[in-house]
Amino acid sequence: MACLSEAPEVLACRSPFPRTCPHRGGATYRLLICFAFILRFRGGLADSGTRMKISDHVHTCSSILVLTSLLLTVLQTATAQKNGIDIYSLTVDSKVSSRFAHTVVTSRVVNRADTVREAIFQMELPKKAFITNFSMIIDGVTYPGTVKEKAKAQEQYSAAVSRGESAGLIKATGRKMEEFHVSVSVAPATKVTFELVYEELLRRHLGVYELLLKVRPQQLVKHLQMDIHIFEPQGINFLETESAFMTNELANALTVSQNKTKAHIQFKPTFSQQQKSPGQQDTVLDGNFIVRYDVNRTESGGSIQIENGYFVHHFAPEGLPTIPKNVVFVIDKSGSMSGKKIQQTREALIKILSDLSPKDQFNIIVFSGEATQWKPSLVPASEENVGMAKGYAATIQANGGTNINDAILMAVQLLESSNRAELLSAGSVSLIILLTDGEPTVGETNPTEIQKNVKGAIGKQYSLFCLGFGFDVSYAFLEKLALDNGGLARRIYEDSDSALQLQDFYQEVANPLLTNVAFRYPSSTVHEVTQDSFRLLFKGSEMVVAGKLHKQNLDVLSARVSGQMDTQNITFQVEASTAEQGELFQSLKYIFHNFMERLWAHLTIQQLLENAVSASDAKSKDLKTRALNLSLQYNFVTPLTSMVVTKPEGQEQSQVANKPVEDDNRHRNIHLGGHGPRFRTTGRGRSKKPGISYFPFGAGALGAPERYGQPGPPDFLYRISALPPPPSFPLTDMHRFPALASPSRPLVPSDPHQGVWSHLKMENKETATTALPPASSVQPPAVILLLPGPRTDRLCVDIRHSQGPLDLLLDPGQGLEVTGQYNAERAGFSWIKVTFKNPKLQVHATPERVVMTRNRRSSAYKWKETLFSVLPGLKVTMDKTGLLLLSDPNKVTIGLSSQSSPKMGLLLTLRDTDRFSSHIKGTLGQFFQDMVGEPPAAADDTRRVLRVQGKDYAATRELKLDYQEGAEISCWSVEL
């Protein structure tokens, strides 16, 4: 047992009765003596010798209550005090104007202990964001962060390292996030204010803009508030929120207001709402808070906004037909891809092949030490060819080395030969999609030579997209390879949802709309314009151009955007009045000072750094110099600059915040998906000393759509902890066929204001319900239905003879389809798919996970993760018991839940079934139509015949297992 003390050296004491521990005569020491005495006595270890040894200490206990429960209470209370550092205010204010977000995080803390404590401020911010300011206010003195050129900041960094102090303050923590981390010593009763500011340009991805905030204060906060203000002059088309921590209890803390051009989202939970349970100090706030939205589109394809001498032009035309594409998939099947990687690649490739348009052509090249074509030439994406390609993809096995050079050159040659043979349709787009997980080891292995060979072969004719699977691949190599050839690179994280990541990327490039897009403005009106020509525009994305105006008194700014469709050229024209635009940006509540100028600088820096990757050495140096100057001018922490954080005299003086780059994580044995471990480069890791408190507003590693996957053994991701049985939905008896009611089991009126779950206890008083013995032979039904009506009874439906997918519910009036496949051996459904037409959403559930697809964007969730997503016209929630609910005041509620093991099937439950339309049909839907119950010829109160749409079903009154209550219930049983 160790002495309880603040001094680290005291923690080294391990003797039960340490004679050299500090504070030996203090109350803490006496308390420990008592505790040791109790443990030895209760453990039966106090022999006569031991009793004599401890007799000298018995008097110590005389002044202390030695009740074990009291001692534990004392220890628990001490733990709950959060080591004296109290966050009394934590606010986030995010203003989004014309897709440019300015976020301020302010944390106010006080040291309530009577000794110096160390407080650590940490939070996660998006990788694409640039930190613009960080400051600490201690005793009224401000200690600001200063942005410097990285080389100059490095001098201070090196000095700090030489003194053994921590220096690095930012580290990548997930697929989309970076963690900022700084600490400071706080004197007793001293207050400290931390303020972090960062900015980012929200990019349109598969039809939405996404603002991601991390919420993880790690303790209860008296004043916790988050405000998000969005202003979009084009008009807000739709708005939705998603949270990984929100519950129905917290829902009242979230308010969303919206008009034509503005939206305000506020989250302000009370102290009690933050508690996991009454009396506990632990907070429920831990995870993502996401806002997604899109804007209205005009016939001109975009809009121009002007503010304070700067303009931004957003371009995303709607209604254009998709250009046919020629796709060559180049798949690494080297030995390092074996196992889960190749399995997920096969899964993704099969799904991607299904999404090809009949107008497309494709081929597959697999490579290890050598490259092999599936077919000698491109083939049309006909149903027959796609089917054969899926069969081929399913046979891909991993072994051998990695010959990237020959594989890409083979793909180029394949496209070249098809072009010479005039097999490529006029105006079509040719894409090469490379997936690899390692460095080249066979053939040409010099990355520079491979880049040179590929660039020479492609010659700006085709676009190359490079996907790096995992962290053994050189991302810098793949990025340059892609940017040299009109494409982009993307990291695929080695996680349970890798196949979804691959599919998600493909959806980004699956629908090309325009090629050779050029923006033109009158040369006398604008200058210092960002990139204004682009090779490809894909559906769901957006092109953004910004610049300066030559004249402050310009009346009208006009623009002309030209591009090529597959069969013709097209031109869009748009203009904007500077006077009208000036009036738009007057509301300080929704904008921040000079936001458009900062948007222009942010975009310019990003493009300069991107262009530097594929430029010659001399050109690259010039581009980086320009980016550096802008970074310093606008106080951005970029890969070229660092922020030096100052502290009070006597503390660490040289902590430096550096912007991580993608390859920083290469070769690290780390997990970055889902709730992966947090890590940082502060030089000492997370302190274990008493008195240190962590209070991030977002320090978890839960990513959306990267919120899937916990580190652990290989089968961990598909293991599901035991769930309590899911809800049983007692089913109202149909007033249309009262003969179903057994005289011996009278039915009670149903309260229409009660939820289905609330019926259970009431009805169990009326129906014969007995506790289920451990080895009961009573089996649960496939589904328990609650049919509309003034009386309540349950219909238990058993599916015995299903050999394939079933259309369970089809309701065109509700815009709802539910399909699934029942497996009697697994006592549940192998999968269930729920599709809504408005909003357009598909939920595909298996015993392992739930996949939500909206706007071609898929996100995966593990069962028992907390999810709270509010879409226009639909709410999706999942609690920690593993119950997923899809609900809306005007819709039937669909409930899905897994059982105690992924080897068991899914359970389906229904609520608010009176909202089904009169057009409902399907295997289960038929029972919500007009139904007549008639007794059989022989009088028997336990048997009925149900006539449903001309078909008769034998119904028997039986005891069935209610899979929520774990108890037997009486219901009418129907076998299908």
Side-chain angles (χ1 to χ4, degrees):
M1 178 177 293
C3 290
L4 299 182
S5 173
E6 294 166 11
E9 61 271 16
V10 177
L11 297 181
C13 296
R14 300 298 178 188
S15 170
F17 304 107
R19 299 184 180 275
T20 58
C21 289
H23 312 293
R24 187 165 180 254
T28 300
Y29 175 77
R30 294 196 304 272
L31 194 62
L32 287 172
I33 294 298
C34 295
F35 191 42
F37 177 85
I38 295 166
L39 291 180
R40 285 176 176 258
F41 181 80
R42 293 188 65 180
L45 300 177
D47 57 17
S48 58
T50 302
R51 286 193 294 270
M52 289 180 65
K53 290 178 182 179
I54 66 174
S55 62
D56 294 338
H57 301 285
V58 173
H59 71 277
T60 305
C61 301
S62 62
S63 60
I64 303 173
L65 280 174
V66 292
L67 298 175
T68 304
S69 60
L70 177 60
L71 178 60
L72 294 177
T73 301
V74 171
L75 295 177
Q76 289 169 353
T77 303
T79 302
Q81 289 176 352
K82 298 296 180 184
N83 299 314
I85 296 294
D86 178 31
I87 312 171
Y88 61 90
S89 176
L90 187 56
T91 63
V92 173
D93 184 75
S94 189
K95 291 181 171 64
V96 183
S97 302
S98 296
R99 290 72 139 178
F100 192 61
H102 174 91
T103 302
V104 181
V105 181
T106 306
S107 178
R108 293 181 171 88
V109 307
V110 61
N111 179 8
R112 302 194 186 280
D114 55 3
T115 59
V116 173
R117 293 290 192 252
E118 185 176 14
I120 295 179
F121 175 85
Q122 67 182 42
M123 73 154 296
E124 290 188 73
L125 61 152
K127 285 182 179 180
K128 296 295 184 181
F130 293 157
I131 291 175
T132 68
N133 185 49
F134 174 75
S135 63
M136 294 182 289
I137 302 175
I138 307 173
D139 279 337
V141 180
T142 299
Y143 299 89
T146 305
V147 175
K148 297 185 176 182
E149 181 181 355
K150 202 165 190 175
K152 294 182 179 179
Q154 185 68 26
E155 297 175 6
Q156 292 177 270
Y157 175 88
S158 300
V161 172
S162 68
R163 296 193 301 269
E165 298 172 354
S166 60
L169 298 178
I170 306 178
K171 189 64 183 179
T173 56
R175 304 179 192 177
K176 297 181 179 180
M177 306 300 287
E178 296 168 352
E179 182 181 279
F180 178 86
H181 166 104
V182 69
S183 63
V184 64
S185 296
V186 183
T190 298
K191 293 182 178 181
V192 181
T193 297
F194 299 91
E195 184 177 276
L196 179 70
V197 183
Y198 63 88
E199 295 173 348
E200 62 177 317
L201 178 61
L202 305 182
R203 294 291 193 169
R204 193 168 185 246
H205 172 70
L206 295 177
V208 298
Y209 308 99
E210 181 176 286
L211 179 70
L212 170 61
L213 298 169
K214 286 286 190 176
V215 181
R216 193 167 186 257
Q218 293 200 8
Q219 65 170 260
L220 303 177
V221 181
K222 183 177 180 181
H223 174 225
L224 191 150
Q225 183 169 334
M226 181 164 58
D227 286 279
I228 301 167
H229 296 276
I230 300 174
F231 175 51
E232 292 293 349
Q234 284 181 250
I236 300 173
N237 179 268
F238 79 89
L239 178 74
E240 63 185 44
T241 63
E242 178 180 319
S243 168
F245 58 83
M246 196 76 68
T247 62
N248 287 323
E249 290 74 20
L250 276 170
N252 292 334
L254 177 66
T255 58
V256 180
S257 58
Q258 177 186 344
N259 60 24
K260 182 179 179 181
T261 60
K262 298 177 182 178
H264 178 210
I265 299 98
Q266 184 180 80
F267 178 61
K268 191 177 180 181
T270 64
F271 195 85
S272 60
Q273 284 177 315
Q274 299 172 43
Q275 292 176 299
K276 284 189 175 179
S277 62
Q280 284 195 3
Q281 297 299 309
D282 292 332
T283 176
V284 298
L285 306 182
D286 184 358
N288 297 344
F289 186 85
I290 303 171
V291 177
R292 299 188 184 97
Y293 73 94
D294 197 16
V295 300
N296 297 321
R297 307 290 166 185
T298 64
E299 293 182 359
S300 63
S303 69
I304 296 176
Q305 280 109 49
I306 300 170
E307 192 251 349
N308 200 26
Y310 287 80
F311 78 91
V312 60
H313 185 177
H314 300 278
F315 180 71
E318 294 288 304
L320 297 180
T322 299
I323 298 175
K325 59 185 180 292
N326 314 298
V327 190
V328 181
F329 300 99
V330 183
I331 307 298
D332 185 348
K333 64 161 192 167
S334 60
S336 58
M337 286 285 291
S338 61
K340 186 65 68 68
K341 286 183 182 179
I342 200 67
Q343 173 189 333
Q344 292 174 321
T345 298
R346 290 193 300 259
E347 176 187 338
L349 186 56
I350 289 171
K351 177 64 170 63
I352 288 169
L353 289 169
S354 299
D355 292 336
L356 288 171
S357 166
K359 298 186 297 181
D360 297 335
Q361 297 187 94
F362 75 102
N363 205 337
I364 302 170
I365 293 175
V366 295
F367 71 94
S368 51
E370 296 180 350
T372 306
Q373 292 181 192
W374 170 54
K375 294 290 185 181
S377 63
L378 292 173
V379 298
S382 64
E383 185 175 349
E384 181 182 2
N385 287 335
V386 167
M388 289 191 295
K390 288 180 180 179
Y392 175 75
T395 65
I396 298 175
Q397 300 294 327
N399 59 76
T402 309
N403 192 337
I404 294 176
N405 185 77
D406 288 0
I408 299 178
L409 294 183
M410 178 180 285
V412 176
Q413 186 177 12
L414 176 63
L415 290 171
E416 287 287 346
S417 61
S418 297
N419 193 25
R420 287 193 299 268
E422 298 183 347
L423 297 177
L424 306 184
S425 60
S428 62
V429 172
S430 296
L431 311 175
I432 300 172
I433 299 178
L434 167 70
L435 171 66
T436 182
D437 77 330
E439 298 180 356
T441 60
V442 178
E444 180 57 72
T445 58
N446 186 320
T448 302
E449 288 300 314
I450 295 174
Q451 291 163 349
K452 179 181 176 181
N453 293 342
V454 172
K455 186 175 181 178
I458 289 180
K460 298 184 178 180
Q461 298 180 79
Y462 318 118
S463 294
L464 172 63
F465 297 88
C466 298
L467 305 178
F469 204 138
F471 284 92
D472 290 330
V473 66
S474 170
Y475 188 83
F477 162 63
L478 292 182
E479 184 179 39
K480 180 170 175 57
L481 199 60
L483 293 175
D484 276 348
N485 298 283
L488 55 86
R490 184 69 53 81
R491 174 89 69 188
I492 301 299
Y493 292 85
E494 192 172 345
D495 211 337
S496 300
D497 67 338
S498 297
L500 281 180
Q501 294 176 55
L502 289 168
Q503 295 168 34
D504 185 71
F505 167 79
Y506 174 75
Q507 288 297 336
E508 288 187 65
V509 300
N511 297 289
L513 301 178
L514 292 173
T515 63
N516 301 321
V517 181
F519 291 71
R520 295 293 179 261
Y521 308 92
S523 59
S524 60
T525 61
V526 300
H527 64 118
E528 294 194 52
V529 177
T530 59
Q531 180 180 344
D532 58 6
S533 60
F534 305 85
R535 184 178 293 192
L536 287 168
L537 172 67
F538 294 101
K539 182 178 180 180
S541 66
E542 181 178 64
M543 292 175 174
V544 183
V545 179
K548 299 181 181 180
L549 300 180
H550 268 305
K551 301 177 182 179
Q552 291 283 353
N553 59 352
L554 180 71
D555 292 331
V556 175
L557 175 61
S558 60
R560 185 171 178 267
V561 184
S562 61
Q564 296 177 3
M565 301 171 65
D566 57 336
T567 57
Q568 63 182 14
N569 296 333
I570 188 170
T571 300
F572 300 86
Q573 289 187 306
V574 62
E575 63 180 28
S577 165
T578 54
E580 293 178 1
Q581 290 290 311
E583 295 177 0
L584 287 175
F585 299 103
Q586 295 302 311
S587 174
L588 295 178
K589 183 178 180 181
Y590 280 82
I591 66 170
F592 50 97
H593 183 61
N594 290 340
F595 84 91
M596 200 165 291
E597 179 180 353
R598 299 188 67 81
L599 184 159
W600 166 82
H602 192 286
L603 181 59
T604 301
I605 293 169
Q606 284 188 327
Q607 292 180 350
L608 288 171
L609 293 175
E610 186 177 279
N611 293 337
V613 172
S614 57
S616 62
D617 290 343
K619 181 66 173 175
S620 178
K621 183 177 180 180
D622 177 63
L623 294 170
K624 288 181 179 179
T625 299
R626 291 169 56 194
L628 171 62
N629 292 336
L630 281 174
S631 299
L632 294 173
Q633 180 181 348
Y634 290 93
N635 218 53
F636 286 138
V637 178
T638 71
L640 303 176
T641 58
S642 301
M643 176 176 284
V644 180
V645 175
T646 58
K647 295 184 180 181
E649 186 176 353
Q651 299 193 38
E652 297 171 356
Q653 296 295 305
S654 301
Q655 288 192 295
V656 179
N658 291 318
K659 181 77 172 174
V661 294
E662 186 67 40
D663 253 18
D664 281 353
N665 297 314
R666 191 172 168 221
H667 297 308
R668 289 180 181 267
N669 183 21
I670 57 175
H671 171 97
L672 291 181
H675 300 269
R678 295 174 289 280
F679 56 94
R680 50 184 72 80
T681 57
T682 56
R684 63 185 171 191
R686 179 169 296 215
S687 173
K688 299 297 183 183
K689 294 187 296 182
I692 295 183
S693 179
Y694 298 87
F695 41 93
F697 202 100
L702 182 62
E706 67 284 9
R707 48 180 77 86
Y708 198 88
Q710 183 91 345
D715 66 335
F716 181 89
L717 297 169
Y718 294 94
R719 239 177 20 237
I720 299 177
S721 302
L723 296 174
S728 165
F729 289 160
L731 303 160
T732 52
D733 185 41
M734 294 67 70
H735 66 282
R736 291 180 292 266
F737 50 103
L740 280 179
S742 169
S744 62
R745 305 185 188 276
L747 302 175
V748 299
S750 173
D751 182 354
H753 300 290
Q754 285 186 303
V756 172
W757 290 274
S758 65
H759 284 268
L760 286 173
K761 292 183 179 179
M762 176 189 72
E763 291 170 3
N764 285 344
K765 297 176 183 179
E766 302 292 334
T767 57
T769 304
T770 57
L772 182 67
S776 173
S777 61
V778 177
Q779 297 299 311
V783 185
I784 302 175
L785 296 180
L786 175 65
L787 301 180
R791 300 170 68 83
T792 302
D793 200 7
R794 298 158 185 159
L795 185 68
C796 294
V797 179
D798 281 310
I799 303 175
R800 301 285 187 182
H801 308 294
S802 172
Q803 300 297 320
L806 297 171
D807 292 328
L808 300 173
L809 299 167
L810 301 174
D811 190 347
Q814 285 266 307
L816 170 68
E817 294 183 7
V818 181
T819 57
Q821 184 162 348
Y822 191 79
N823 187 324
E825 294 181 357
R826 300 179 71 171
F829 290 89
S830 302
W831 58 266
I832 296 175
K833 184 185 296 183
V834 183
T835 304
F836 290 93
K837 292 185 178 180
N838 185 26
K840 193 171 183 181
L841 174 73
Q842 184 181 91
V843 176
H844 188 273
T846 65
E848 293 79 23
R849 64 181 182 180
V850 177
V851 177
M852 286 176 51
T853 302
R854 177 157 165 73
N855 294 326
R856 299 176 291 125
R857 182 186 68 255
S858 297
S859 300
Y861 305 87
K862 291 194 303 181
W863 289 103
K864 300 180 73 174
E865 280 188 346
T866 303
L867 170 65
F868 196 96
S869 180
V870 181
L871 287 65
L874 189 67
K875 183 169 73 171
V876 182
T877 64
M878 181 160 62
D879 60 26
K880 291 189 178 298
T881 68
L883 173 65
L884 177 71
L885 292 178
L886 311 170
S887 62
D888 181 78
N890 299 314
K891 290 183 172 68
V892 175
T893 295
I894 307 296
L896 307 177
S897 57
S898 67
Q899 301 189 64
S900 58
S901 165
K903 294 182 179 180
M904 300 181 70
L906 300 174
L907 300 173
L908 169 68
T909 50
L910 303 174
R911 180 181 178 185
D912 305 317
T913 54
D914 57 328
R915 295 170 186 163
F916 277 127
S917 76
S918 58
H919 303 291
I920 178 68
K921 57 183 179 180
T923 303
L924 301 178
Q926 63 178 327
F927 294 104
F928 296 94
Q929 286 284 9
D930 289 338
M931 181 162 53
V932 178
E934 298 177 352
D940 188 345
D941 287 342
T942 64
R943 296 180 182 275
R944 295 289 184 273
V945 174
L946 303 184
R947 181 161 297 167
V948 185
Q949 296 181 322
K951 187 173 181 179
D952 290 344
Y953 293 93
T956 306
R957 173 69 73 175
E958 295 180 1
L959 288 179
K960 291 285 186 178
L961 177 64
D962 184 320
Y963 38 68
Q964 179 195 21
E965 295 291 310
E968 296 176 10
I969 62 170
S970 174
C971 64
W972 289 104
S973 179
V974 173
E975 185 175 308
L976 301 181

